[in-house]
Short mmCIF file of all heavy atoms in Angstrom, two decimals:
data_model
loop_
_atom_site.label_atom_id
_atom_site.label_comp_id
_atom_site.label_asym_id
_atom_site.label_seq_id
_atom_site.Cartn_x
_atom_site.Cartn_y
_atom_site.Cartn_z
N MET A 1421 -3.30 9.28 30.25
CA MET A 1421 -4.27 10.14 30.91
C MET A 1421 -5.43 10.46 29.99
O MET A 1421 -6.50 10.79 30.47
CB MET A 1421 -3.61 11.43 31.39
CG MET A 1421 -2.64 11.25 32.54
SD MET A 1421 -3.24 10.33 33.97
CE MET A 1421 -4.72 11.15 34.45
N LEU A 1422 -5.22 10.38 28.69
CA LEU A 1422 -6.32 10.71 27.77
C LEU A 1422 -7.29 9.57 27.64
O LEU A 1422 -8.47 9.82 27.26
CB LEU A 1422 -5.73 11.08 26.40
CG LEU A 1422 -4.96 12.38 26.33
CD1 LEU A 1422 -4.35 12.55 24.94
CD2 LEU A 1422 -5.82 13.56 26.67
N GLY A 1423 -6.90 8.38 27.95
CA GLY A 1423 -7.80 7.23 27.80
C GLY A 1423 -8.34 7.12 26.39
O GLY A 1423 -7.62 7.25 25.41
N ALA A 1424 -9.63 6.91 26.28
CA ALA A 1424 -10.29 6.78 24.97
C ALA A 1424 -10.18 8.04 24.13
O ALA A 1424 -10.28 8.01 22.91
CB ALA A 1424 -11.77 6.39 25.15
N ARG A 1425 -9.94 9.18 24.79
CA ARG A 1425 -9.82 10.45 24.07
C ARG A 1425 -8.63 10.45 23.10
O ARG A 1425 -8.60 11.19 22.16
CB ARG A 1425 -9.64 11.61 25.06
CG ARG A 1425 -10.88 11.91 25.85
CD ARG A 1425 -10.59 13.09 26.78
NE ARG A 1425 -11.67 13.27 27.72
CZ ARG A 1425 -11.66 12.85 28.99
NH1 ARG A 1425 -10.60 12.25 29.47
NH2 ARG A 1425 -12.70 13.08 29.74
N ALA A 1426 -7.66 9.61 23.39
CA ALA A 1426 -6.49 9.51 22.53
C ALA A 1426 -6.82 9.05 21.14
O ALA A 1426 -6.07 9.24 20.18
CB ALA A 1426 -5.43 8.60 23.17
N GLU A 1427 -7.95 8.36 21.00
CA GLU A 1427 -8.39 7.83 19.72
C GLU A 1427 -9.21 8.87 18.93
O GLU A 1427 -9.55 8.62 17.77
CB GLU A 1427 -9.22 6.55 19.94
CG GLU A 1427 -8.50 5.46 20.66
CD GLU A 1427 -7.24 4.99 19.93
OE1 GLU A 1427 -7.26 4.91 18.68
OE2 GLU A 1427 -6.21 4.76 20.62
N GLU A 1428 -9.54 9.99 19.54
CA GLU A 1428 -10.36 10.98 18.87
C GLU A 1428 -9.56 11.65 17.74
O GLU A 1428 -8.35 11.64 17.72
CB GLU A 1428 -10.87 12.04 19.87
CG GLU A 1428 -11.85 11.46 20.84
CD GLU A 1428 -12.34 12.53 21.86
OE1 GLU A 1428 -11.82 13.67 21.85
OE2 GLU A 1428 -13.22 12.17 22.65
N ASP A 1429 -10.27 12.30 16.88
CA ASP A 1429 -9.67 13.06 15.78
C ASP A 1429 -8.71 14.10 16.33
O ASP A 1429 -9.02 14.73 17.33
CB ASP A 1429 -10.78 13.71 14.93
CG ASP A 1429 -10.24 14.29 13.67
OD1 ASP A 1429 -10.15 13.56 12.66
OD2 ASP A 1429 -9.88 15.48 13.71
N ALA A 1430 -7.59 14.32 15.65
CA ALA A 1430 -6.59 15.29 16.10
C ALA A 1430 -7.13 16.68 16.21
O ALA A 1430 -6.59 17.51 16.95
CB ALA A 1430 -5.38 15.22 15.17
N THR A 1431 -8.19 17.01 15.46
CA THR A 1431 -8.76 18.36 15.54
C THR A 1431 -9.38 18.61 16.88
O THR A 1431 -9.62 19.75 17.26
CB THR A 1431 -9.80 18.57 14.43
OG1 THR A 1431 -10.85 17.60 14.58
CG2 THR A 1431 -9.18 18.46 13.04
N ARG A 1432 -9.60 17.58 17.67
CA ARG A 1432 -10.16 17.73 19.01
C ARG A 1432 -9.08 17.67 20.10
O ARG A 1432 -9.41 17.57 21.30
CB ARG A 1432 -11.16 16.62 19.28
CG ARG A 1432 -12.49 16.86 18.62
CD ARG A 1432 -13.69 16.27 19.30
NE ARG A 1432 -13.65 15.95 20.71
CZ ARG A 1432 -13.89 16.83 21.71
NH1 ARG A 1432 -14.15 18.05 21.50
NH2 ARG A 1432 -13.86 16.41 22.96
N ALA A 1433 -7.84 17.69 19.72
CA ALA A 1433 -6.75 17.51 20.69
C ALA A 1433 -6.82 18.54 21.81
O ALA A 1433 -6.64 18.19 22.97
CB ALA A 1433 -5.40 17.59 19.97
N ALA A 1434 -7.08 19.80 21.50
CA ALA A 1434 -7.13 20.83 22.53
C ALA A 1434 -8.21 20.53 23.54
O ALA A 1434 -7.98 20.54 24.76
CB ALA A 1434 -7.35 22.20 21.90
N GLU A 1435 -9.41 20.21 23.05
CA GLU A 1435 -10.53 19.89 23.94
C GLU A 1435 -10.30 18.59 24.73
O GLU A 1435 -10.61 18.49 25.90
CB GLU A 1435 -11.81 19.82 23.17
CG GLU A 1435 -12.36 21.17 22.78
CD GLU A 1435 -12.56 22.09 23.98
OE1 GLU A 1435 -13.15 21.66 25.01
OE2 GLU A 1435 -12.15 23.28 23.90
N SER A 1436 -9.73 17.61 24.06
CA SER A 1436 -9.47 16.32 24.73
C SER A 1436 -8.50 16.50 25.89
O SER A 1436 -8.72 15.93 26.97
CB SER A 1436 -8.88 15.32 23.72
OG SER A 1436 -9.82 15.01 22.73
N CYS A 1437 -7.47 17.28 25.68
CA CYS A 1437 -6.50 17.52 26.77
C CYS A 1437 -7.16 18.30 27.91
O CYS A 1437 -6.96 17.96 29.08
CB CYS A 1437 -5.27 18.30 26.26
SG CYS A 1437 -4.21 17.29 25.24
N LEU A 1438 -7.95 19.31 27.60
CA LEU A 1438 -8.63 20.05 28.65
C LEU A 1438 -9.67 19.23 29.38
O LEU A 1438 -9.81 19.33 30.59
CB LEU A 1438 -9.26 21.33 28.10
CG LEU A 1438 -8.26 22.41 27.66
CD1 LEU A 1438 -8.95 23.56 26.95
CD2 LEU A 1438 -7.45 22.92 28.84
N ASP A 1439 -10.35 18.36 28.64
CA ASP A 1439 -11.31 17.45 29.28
C ASP A 1439 -10.61 16.56 30.25
O ASP A 1439 -11.06 16.31 31.38
CB ASP A 1439 -12.07 16.63 28.24
CG ASP A 1439 -13.03 17.40 27.36
OD1 ASP A 1439 -13.37 18.56 27.74
OD2 ASP A 1439 -13.43 16.86 26.33
N ALA A 1440 -9.51 16.01 29.84
CA ALA A 1440 -8.75 15.08 30.73
C ALA A 1440 -8.20 15.83 31.92
O ALA A 1440 -8.21 15.32 33.05
CB ALA A 1440 -7.60 14.43 29.94
N ALA A 1441 -7.72 17.08 31.75
CA ALA A 1441 -7.22 17.87 32.87
C ALA A 1441 -8.35 18.13 33.84
O ALA A 1441 -8.18 18.05 35.07
CB ALA A 1441 -6.62 19.18 32.36
N GLU A 1442 -9.53 18.47 33.34
CA GLU A 1442 -10.67 18.76 34.19
C GLU A 1442 -11.11 17.49 34.99
O GLU A 1442 -11.35 17.60 36.18
CB GLU A 1442 -11.84 19.22 33.36
CG GLU A 1442 -13.04 19.67 34.15
CD GLU A 1442 -14.18 20.20 33.27
OE1 GLU A 1442 -14.07 20.18 32.06
OE2 GLU A 1442 -15.14 20.67 33.87
N ASP A 1443 -11.10 16.36 34.33
CA ASP A 1443 -11.43 15.10 35.00
C ASP A 1443 -10.45 14.79 36.11
O ASP A 1443 -10.85 14.45 37.24
CB ASP A 1443 -11.46 13.94 34.02
CG ASP A 1443 -12.66 13.97 33.09
OD1 ASP A 1443 -13.60 14.75 33.30
OD2 ASP A 1443 -12.60 13.21 32.08
N LEU A 1444 -9.18 14.96 35.86
CA LEU A 1444 -8.17 14.69 36.85
C LEU A 1444 -8.25 15.68 38.00
O LEU A 1444 -8.10 15.30 39.18
CB LEU A 1444 -6.75 14.69 36.23
CG LEU A 1444 -5.59 14.32 37.14
CD1 LEU A 1444 -5.82 12.98 37.83
CD2 LEU A 1444 -4.29 14.33 36.38
N LEU A 1445 -8.51 16.94 37.69
CA LEU A 1445 -8.67 17.93 38.74
C LEU A 1445 -9.87 17.61 39.64
O LEU A 1445 -9.80 17.67 40.85
CB LEU A 1445 -8.84 19.34 38.15
CG LEU A 1445 -9.06 20.49 39.15
CD1 LEU A 1445 -7.87 20.61 40.08
CD2 LEU A 1445 -9.30 21.80 38.38
N ARG A 1446 -10.96 17.21 39.00
CA ARG A 1446 -12.14 16.79 39.78
C ARG A 1446 -11.82 15.63 40.73
O ARG A 1446 -12.20 15.63 41.89
CB ARG A 1446 -13.29 16.39 38.80
CG ARG A 1446 -14.61 16.17 39.52
CD ARG A 1446 -15.72 15.90 38.54
NE ARG A 1446 -16.01 17.05 37.67
CZ ARG A 1446 -15.71 17.12 36.37
NH1 ARG A 1446 -15.17 16.10 35.76
NH2 ARG A 1446 -15.96 18.20 35.67
N ASP A 1447 -11.10 14.64 40.19
CA ASP A 1447 -10.70 13.49 41.02
C ASP A 1447 -9.78 13.92 42.15
O ASP A 1447 -9.94 13.42 43.28
CB ASP A 1447 -9.96 12.41 40.15
CG ASP A 1447 -10.87 11.74 39.18
OD1 ASP A 1447 -12.14 11.86 39.29
OD2 ASP A 1447 -10.33 11.10 38.26
N LEU A 1448 -8.87 14.81 41.87
CA LEU A 1448 -7.91 15.28 42.87
C LEU A 1448 -8.67 16.00 43.99
O LEU A 1448 -8.40 15.81 45.20
CB LEU A 1448 -6.89 16.19 42.24
CG LEU A 1448 -5.87 16.81 43.18
CD1 LEU A 1448 -4.97 15.75 43.78
CD2 LEU A 1448 -5.05 17.83 42.40
N LEU A 1449 -9.61 16.86 43.61
CA LEU A 1449 -10.34 17.64 44.60
C LEU A 1449 -11.31 16.82 45.43
O LEU A 1449 -11.70 17.20 46.51
CB LEU A 1449 -11.12 18.78 43.91
CG LEU A 1449 -10.21 19.85 43.26
CD1 LEU A 1449 -11.03 20.78 42.44
CD2 LEU A 1449 -9.44 20.59 44.36
N ALA A 1450 -11.67 15.63 44.92
CA ALA A 1450 -12.58 14.74 45.63
C ALA A 1450 -11.87 13.97 46.75
O ALA A 1450 -12.54 13.38 47.62
CB ALA A 1450 -13.23 13.79 44.68
N ARG A 1451 -10.58 14.01 46.74
CA ARG A 1451 -9.82 13.30 47.78
C ARG A 1451 -9.95 13.99 49.13
O ARG A 1451 -10.08 15.22 49.17
CB ARG A 1451 -8.33 13.25 47.40
CG ARG A 1451 -8.08 12.44 46.17
CD ARG A 1451 -6.59 12.44 45.86
NE ARG A 1451 -6.38 11.94 44.50
CZ ARG A 1451 -5.24 12.05 43.84
NH1 ARG A 1451 -4.20 12.65 44.41
NH2 ARG A 1451 -5.15 11.59 42.63
N PRO A 1452 -9.92 13.23 50.23
CA PRO A 1452 -10.05 13.82 51.54
C PRO A 1452 -8.92 14.83 51.84
O PRO A 1452 -9.12 15.81 52.54
CB PRO A 1452 -10.03 12.68 52.50
CG PRO A 1452 -9.89 11.43 51.70
CD PRO A 1452 -9.77 11.79 50.25
N SER A 1453 -7.75 14.57 51.34
CA SER A 1453 -6.62 15.52 51.53
C SER A 1453 -5.74 15.46 50.29
O SER A 1453 -5.65 14.44 49.62
CB SER A 1453 -5.82 15.16 52.79
OG SER A 1453 -5.16 13.92 52.61
N ALA A 1454 -5.08 16.56 50.02
CA ALA A 1454 -4.19 16.65 48.90
C ALA A 1454 -2.84 17.18 49.38
O ALA A 1454 -2.61 18.38 49.34
CB ALA A 1454 -4.78 17.53 47.80
N GLY A 1455 -2.03 16.29 49.82
CA GLY A 1455 -0.70 16.67 50.32
C GLY A 1455 0.33 16.50 49.20
O GLY A 1455 0.04 16.64 48.03
N ARG A 1456 1.51 16.17 49.63
CA ARG A 1456 2.62 16.04 48.67
C ARG A 1456 2.33 14.95 47.63
O ARG A 1456 2.85 15.00 46.54
CB ARG A 1456 3.87 15.70 49.44
CG ARG A 1456 4.39 16.80 50.28
CD ARG A 1456 5.63 16.44 50.98
NE ARG A 1456 6.55 17.56 50.76
CZ ARG A 1456 7.86 17.44 50.86
NH1 ARG A 1456 8.42 16.29 51.15
NH2 ARG A 1456 8.61 18.46 50.66
N ASP A 1457 1.51 13.99 48.01
CA ASP A 1457 1.19 12.91 47.10
C ASP A 1457 0.39 13.39 45.90
O ASP A 1457 0.26 12.67 44.91
CB ASP A 1457 0.42 11.79 47.83
CG ASP A 1457 -0.87 12.29 48.46
OD1 ASP A 1457 -0.81 13.34 49.09
OD2 ASP A 1457 -1.89 11.58 48.36
N ALA A 1458 -0.12 14.60 45.94
CA ALA A 1458 -0.88 15.16 44.81
C ALA A 1458 -0.01 15.87 43.78
O ALA A 1458 -0.50 16.28 42.74
CB ALA A 1458 -1.95 16.11 45.33
N ALA A 1459 1.27 15.99 44.10
CA ALA A 1459 2.15 16.79 43.25
C ALA A 1459 2.20 16.25 41.81
O ALA A 1459 2.13 17.02 40.86
CB ALA A 1459 3.57 16.84 43.82
N LEU A 1460 2.30 14.96 41.67
CA LEU A 1460 2.37 14.37 40.33
C LEU A 1460 1.07 14.64 39.55
O LEU A 1460 1.08 14.96 38.37
CB LEU A 1460 2.68 12.87 40.36
CG LEU A 1460 2.88 12.21 39.03
CD1 LEU A 1460 4.00 12.84 38.23
CD2 LEU A 1460 3.18 10.71 39.24
N ASP A 1461 -0.06 14.54 40.21
CA ASP A 1461 -1.32 14.81 39.55
C ASP A 1461 -1.40 16.29 39.15
O ASP A 1461 -1.91 16.60 38.08
CB ASP A 1461 -2.52 14.45 40.46
CG ASP A 1461 -2.66 12.93 40.65
OD1 ASP A 1461 -2.32 12.21 39.67
OD2 ASP A 1461 -3.11 12.51 41.72
N LEU A 1462 -0.94 17.17 40.00
CA LEU A 1462 -0.97 18.61 39.65
C LEU A 1462 -0.09 18.89 38.44
O LEU A 1462 -0.45 19.65 37.54
CB LEU A 1462 -0.55 19.45 40.83
CG LEU A 1462 -1.54 19.53 41.98
CD1 LEU A 1462 -0.89 20.19 43.20
CD2 LEU A 1462 -2.78 20.28 41.55
N LEU A 1463 1.09 18.26 38.39
CA LEU A 1463 1.96 18.42 37.23
C LEU A 1463 1.32 17.84 35.96
O LEU A 1463 1.46 18.38 34.88
CB LEU A 1463 3.32 17.72 37.50
CG LEU A 1463 4.21 18.43 38.50
CD1 LEU A 1463 5.42 17.59 38.83
CD2 LEU A 1463 4.65 19.79 37.98
N THR A 1464 0.60 16.77 36.13
CA THR A 1464 -0.07 16.15 34.98
C THR A 1464 -1.18 17.05 34.49
O THR A 1464 -1.32 17.24 33.25
CB THR A 1464 -0.66 14.76 35.35
OG1 THR A 1464 0.43 13.93 35.83
CG2 THR A 1464 -1.31 14.07 34.18
N ILE A 1465 -1.94 17.64 35.40
CA ILE A 1465 -2.98 18.60 34.98
C ILE A 1465 -2.38 19.77 34.23
O ILE A 1465 -2.83 20.17 33.18
CB ILE A 1465 -3.76 19.08 36.22
CG1 ILE A 1465 -4.59 17.94 36.82
CG2 ILE A 1465 -4.66 20.27 35.87
CD1 ILE A 1465 -5.14 18.21 38.22
N ASP A 1466 -1.28 20.26 34.78
CA ASP A 1466 -0.57 21.39 34.12
C ASP A 1466 -0.10 20.99 32.74
O ASP A 1466 -0.26 21.76 31.74
CB ASP A 1466 0.62 21.82 34.98
CG ASP A 1466 1.42 22.96 34.35
OD1 ASP A 1466 0.82 24.06 34.21
OD2 ASP A 1466 2.57 22.73 34.03
N ALA A 1467 0.49 19.81 32.59
CA ALA A 1467 0.92 19.33 31.31
C ALA A 1467 -0.22 19.17 30.29
O ALA A 1467 -0.09 19.54 29.13
CB ALA A 1467 1.68 18.01 31.46
N LEU A 1468 -1.34 18.64 30.77
CA LEU A 1468 -2.50 18.45 29.87
C LEU A 1468 -3.00 19.79 29.36
O LEU A 1468 -3.34 19.94 28.21
CB LEU A 1468 -3.59 17.69 30.56
CG LEU A 1468 -3.36 16.19 30.73
CD1 LEU A 1468 -4.32 15.59 31.79
CD2 LEU A 1468 -3.48 15.47 29.41
N VAL A 1469 -3.06 20.78 30.25
CA VAL A 1469 -3.49 22.13 29.83
C VAL A 1469 -2.50 22.71 28.85
O VAL A 1469 -2.88 23.29 27.82
CB VAL A 1469 -3.71 23.04 31.06
CG1 VAL A 1469 -3.99 24.47 30.62
CG2 VAL A 1469 -4.86 22.53 31.89
N THR A 1470 -1.21 22.55 29.14
CA THR A 1470 -0.18 23.05 28.24
C THR A 1470 -0.27 22.38 26.85
O THR A 1470 -0.25 23.07 25.81
CB THR A 1470 1.23 22.79 28.83
OG1 THR A 1470 1.32 23.52 30.07
CG2 THR A 1470 2.32 23.27 27.88
N TYR A 1471 -0.42 21.06 26.82
CA TYR A 1471 -0.55 20.36 25.54
C TYR A 1471 -1.84 20.80 24.83
O TYR A 1471 -1.84 20.96 23.59
CB TYR A 1471 -0.59 18.89 25.72
CG TYR A 1471 0.72 18.26 26.25
CD1 TYR A 1471 0.70 17.16 27.05
CD2 TYR A 1471 1.94 18.78 25.86
CE1 TYR A 1471 1.89 16.59 27.51
CE2 TYR A 1471 3.11 18.25 26.32
CZ TYR A 1471 3.05 17.15 27.13
OH TYR A 1471 4.26 16.59 27.59
N GLY A 1472 -2.88 21.03 25.58
CA GLY A 1472 -4.13 21.52 24.99
C GLY A 1472 -3.95 22.84 24.29
O GLY A 1472 -4.43 23.06 23.18
N PHE A 1473 -3.19 23.74 24.94
CA PHE A 1473 -2.98 25.02 24.30
C PHE A 1473 -1.94 25.01 23.19
O PHE A 1473 -2.02 25.78 22.26
CB PHE A 1473 -2.64 26.12 25.36
CG PHE A 1473 -3.89 26.65 25.96
CD1 PHE A 1473 -4.39 26.13 27.14
CD2 PHE A 1473 -4.64 27.61 25.30
CE1 PHE A 1473 -5.56 26.56 27.67
CE2 PHE A 1473 -5.84 28.05 25.82
CZ PHE A 1473 -6.32 27.53 27.03
N GLU A 1474 -1.02 24.07 23.25
CA GLU A 1474 -0.14 23.86 22.08
C GLU A 1474 -0.98 23.42 20.89
O GLU A 1474 -0.73 23.92 19.77
CB GLU A 1474 0.91 22.82 22.39
CG GLU A 1474 2.01 23.33 23.29
CD GLU A 1474 3.06 22.27 23.59
OE1 GLU A 1474 2.99 21.15 23.04
OE2 GLU A 1474 3.96 22.58 24.38
N ALA A 1475 -1.91 22.55 21.10
CA ALA A 1475 -2.79 22.11 19.98
C ALA A 1475 -3.68 23.27 19.52
O ALA A 1475 -3.94 23.45 18.34
CB ALA A 1475 -3.64 20.93 20.43
N ALA A 1476 -4.17 24.07 20.48
CA ALA A 1476 -5.07 25.17 20.15
C ALA A 1476 -4.33 26.29 19.39
O ALA A 1476 -4.96 27.07 18.64
CB ALA A 1476 -5.69 25.76 21.43
N ALA A 1477 -3.01 26.34 19.50
CA ALA A 1477 -2.24 27.37 18.82
C ALA A 1477 -2.32 27.25 17.29
O ALA A 1477 -1.96 28.20 16.61
CB ALA A 1477 -0.78 27.32 19.27
N ARG A 1478 -2.84 26.15 16.82
CA ARG A 1478 -3.04 26.00 15.37
C ARG A 1478 -4.10 26.96 14.86
O ARG A 1478 -4.19 27.18 13.68
CB ARG A 1478 -3.43 24.55 15.04
CG ARG A 1478 -2.32 23.57 15.31
CD ARG A 1478 -2.70 22.16 14.94
NE ARG A 1478 -1.73 21.25 15.45
CZ ARG A 1478 -1.99 20.14 16.11
NH1 ARG A 1478 -3.21 19.79 16.32
NH2 ARG A 1478 -1.02 19.36 16.55
N GLU A 1479 -4.92 27.46 15.79
CA GLU A 1479 -5.96 28.41 15.44
C GLU A 1479 -5.73 29.67 16.33
O GLU A 1479 -6.45 29.87 17.28
CB GLU A 1479 -7.34 27.83 15.71
CG GLU A 1479 -7.68 26.58 14.91
CD GLU A 1479 -9.00 26.02 15.32
OE1 GLU A 1479 -9.99 26.80 15.37
OE2 GLU A 1479 -9.06 24.86 15.66
N PRO A 1480 -4.76 30.48 15.97
CA PRO A 1480 -4.40 31.61 16.82
C PRO A 1480 -5.55 32.59 17.12
O PRO A 1480 -5.60 33.14 18.22
CB PRO A 1480 -3.29 32.33 16.05
CG PRO A 1480 -2.84 31.41 14.98
CD PRO A 1480 -3.93 30.41 14.77
N ALA A 1481 -6.45 32.76 16.21
CA ALA A 1481 -7.55 33.68 16.42
C ALA A 1481 -8.49 33.22 17.55
O ALA A 1481 -9.18 34.02 18.13
CB ALA A 1481 -8.32 33.88 15.15
N ALA A 1482 -8.49 31.92 17.84
CA ALA A 1482 -9.42 31.36 18.84
C ALA A 1482 -8.73 31.15 20.22
O ALA A 1482 -9.43 30.76 21.18
CB ALA A 1482 -9.98 30.07 18.35
N VAL A 1483 -7.44 31.39 20.32
CA VAL A 1483 -6.72 31.06 21.57
C VAL A 1483 -7.26 31.85 22.74
O VAL A 1483 -7.46 31.35 23.82
CB VAL A 1483 -5.20 31.24 21.41
CG1 VAL A 1483 -4.48 31.17 22.73
CG2 VAL A 1483 -4.64 30.20 20.45
N GLU A 1484 -7.51 33.16 22.55
CA GLU A 1484 -8.00 33.97 23.67
C GLU A 1484 -9.33 33.47 24.20
O GLU A 1484 -9.53 33.36 25.42
CB GLU A 1484 -8.11 35.42 23.26
CG GLU A 1484 -8.46 36.34 24.41
CD GLU A 1484 -8.45 37.84 24.03
OE1 GLU A 1484 -7.89 38.18 23.00
OE2 GLU A 1484 -9.07 38.59 24.80
N ALA A 1485 -10.26 33.16 23.31
CA ALA A 1485 -11.55 32.64 23.73
C ALA A 1485 -11.41 31.29 24.42
O ALA A 1485 -12.04 31.02 25.41
CB ALA A 1485 -12.50 32.53 22.53
N ARG A 1486 -10.52 30.46 23.87
CA ARG A 1486 -10.29 29.14 24.51
C ARG A 1486 -9.71 29.29 25.91
O ARG A 1486 -10.07 28.54 26.82
CB ARG A 1486 -9.32 28.28 23.68
CG ARG A 1486 -9.94 27.61 22.51
CD ARG A 1486 -8.87 26.71 21.89
NE ARG A 1486 -9.27 26.21 20.63
CZ ARG A 1486 -9.91 25.05 20.47
NH1 ARG A 1486 -10.20 24.31 21.48
NH2 ARG A 1486 -10.23 24.61 19.26
N ALA A 1487 -8.79 30.24 26.07
CA ALA A 1487 -8.18 30.47 27.38
C ALA A 1487 -9.25 30.89 28.40
O ALA A 1487 -9.26 30.39 29.53
CB ALA A 1487 -7.10 31.53 27.27
N ARG A 1488 -10.12 31.81 27.99
CA ARG A 1488 -11.18 32.22 28.89
C ARG A 1488 -12.06 31.04 29.28
O ARG A 1488 -12.40 30.85 30.43
CB ARG A 1488 -12.03 33.32 28.25
CG ARG A 1488 -11.43 34.66 28.37
CD ARG A 1488 -12.48 35.74 28.04
NE ARG A 1488 -11.82 37.04 27.97
CZ ARG A 1488 -11.44 37.62 26.87
NH1 ARG A 1488 -11.69 37.03 25.69
NH2 ARG A 1488 -10.83 38.75 26.88
N ALA A 1489 -12.47 30.28 28.28
CA ALA A 1489 -13.35 29.13 28.50
C ALA A 1489 -12.65 28.12 29.41
O ALA A 1489 -13.28 27.53 30.32
CB ALA A 1489 -13.77 28.49 27.18
N ALA A 1490 -11.38 27.87 29.20
CA ALA A 1490 -10.62 26.90 30.02
C ALA A 1490 -10.53 27.38 31.44
O ALA A 1490 -10.74 26.60 32.38
CB ALA A 1490 -9.23 26.66 29.41
N MET A 1491 -10.26 28.65 31.66
CA MET A 1491 -10.15 29.18 32.99
C MET A 1491 -11.50 29.06 33.73
O MET A 1491 -11.58 28.67 34.90
CB MET A 1491 -9.71 30.65 32.99
CG MET A 1491 -8.24 30.80 32.67
SD MET A 1491 -7.60 32.51 32.89
CE MET A 1491 -8.56 33.38 31.66
N GLN A 1492 -12.59 29.33 33.00
CA GLN A 1492 -13.91 29.21 33.63
C GLN A 1492 -14.21 27.77 33.98
O GLN A 1492 -14.73 27.47 35.07
CB GLN A 1492 -14.96 29.78 32.68
CG GLN A 1492 -14.92 31.29 32.54
CD GLN A 1492 -15.84 31.81 31.49
OE1 GLN A 1492 -16.33 31.09 30.63
NE2 GLN A 1492 -16.09 33.11 31.56
N ARG A 1493 -13.85 26.84 33.07
CA ARG A 1493 -14.12 25.42 33.35
C ARG A 1493 -13.37 24.91 34.55
O ARG A 1493 -13.90 24.28 35.43
CB ARG A 1493 -13.73 24.56 32.12
CG ARG A 1493 -14.66 24.59 31.01
CD ARG A 1493 -14.14 23.84 29.83
NE ARG A 1493 -13.90 22.43 30.11
CZ ARG A 1493 -13.45 21.58 29.22
NH1 ARG A 1493 -13.15 21.98 27.98
NH2 ARG A 1493 -13.25 20.33 29.51
N LEU A 1494 -12.07 25.24 34.59
CA LEU A 1494 -11.24 24.74 35.67
C LEU A 1494 -11.60 25.41 36.99
O LEU A 1494 -11.61 24.77 38.03
CB LEU A 1494 -9.75 24.93 35.34
CG LEU A 1494 -9.26 24.11 34.13
CD1 LEU A 1494 -7.84 24.48 33.78
CD2 LEU A 1494 -9.42 22.61 34.38
N ALA A 1495 -11.93 26.67 36.95
CA ALA A 1495 -12.34 27.40 38.16
C ALA A 1495 -13.67 26.83 38.68
O ALA A 1495 -13.83 26.65 39.88
CB ALA A 1495 -12.45 28.90 37.89
N ALA A 1496 -14.58 26.53 37.76
CA ALA A 1496 -15.88 25.97 38.18
C ALA A 1496 -15.66 24.59 38.79
O ALA A 1496 -16.36 24.20 39.76
CB ALA A 1496 -16.83 25.90 36.97
N THR A 1497 -14.74 23.82 38.25
CA THR A 1497 -14.46 22.50 38.81
C THR A 1497 -13.89 22.63 40.21
O THR A 1497 -14.29 21.93 41.11
CB THR A 1497 -13.43 21.78 37.92
OG1 THR A 1497 -14.00 21.61 36.60
CG2 THR A 1497 -13.08 20.40 38.46
N ALA A 1498 -12.99 23.59 40.39
CA ALA A 1498 -12.40 23.80 41.72
C ALA A 1498 -13.44 24.31 42.71
O ALA A 1498 -13.36 24.02 43.90
CB ALA A 1498 -11.20 24.75 41.59
N ALA A 1499 -14.40 25.10 42.25
CA ALA A 1499 -15.38 25.70 43.12
C ALA A 1499 -16.49 24.70 43.54
O ALA A 1499 -17.14 24.89 44.56
CB ALA A 1499 -16.03 26.91 42.49
N SER A 1500 -16.64 23.65 42.75
CA SER A 1500 -17.74 22.70 43.07
C SER A 1500 -17.37 21.68 44.10
O SER A 1500 -16.33 21.57 44.58
CB SER A 1500 -18.20 21.97 41.81
OG SER A 1500 -17.14 21.22 41.26
#
């Protein structure tokens, strides 16, 4: 799911995972309908966000700000 992002520096792991989650969410929302067939994609989005925050935990002082930014990004994606 990371595609070329998997080759990026490990210091970007948190952002790479969130970027991939956002891309997949955008693709999912662009579908005409999201029924049961979307379950695997939703679980993948959840996993990418979780992995992103596991990586972000290396900088505990920044986790709260990252969480706010991630919520805003994902909410904006869903609203568009």
Side-chain angles (χ1 to χ4, degrees):
M1421 290 310 306
L1422 292 175
R1425 292 180 188 100
E1427 302 299 321
E1428 292 179 355
D1429 190 88
T1431 60
R1432 284 209 21 86
E1435 285 303 314
S1436 295
C1437 288
L1438 289 174
D1439 290 345
E1442 185 178 6
D1443 288 347
L1444 184 54
L1445 178 61
R1446 188 176 296 109
D1447 291 346
L1448 178 65
L1449 294 171
R1451 296 178 193 168
S1453 67
R1456 293 180 131 202
D1457 58 315
L1460 185 57
D1461 290 328
L1462 289 170
L1463 288 171
T1464 303
I1465 292 166
D1466 180 64
L1468 286 164
V1469 172
T1470 299
Y1471 293 147
F1473 277 95
E1474 285 180 4
R1478 294 182 190 132
E1479 299 175 52
V1483 170
E1484 186 175 342
R1486 280 186 191 268
R1488 278 195 189 98
M1491 285 189 297
Q1492 289 172 343
R1493 283 175 62 181
L1494 295 173
T1497 300
S1500 62

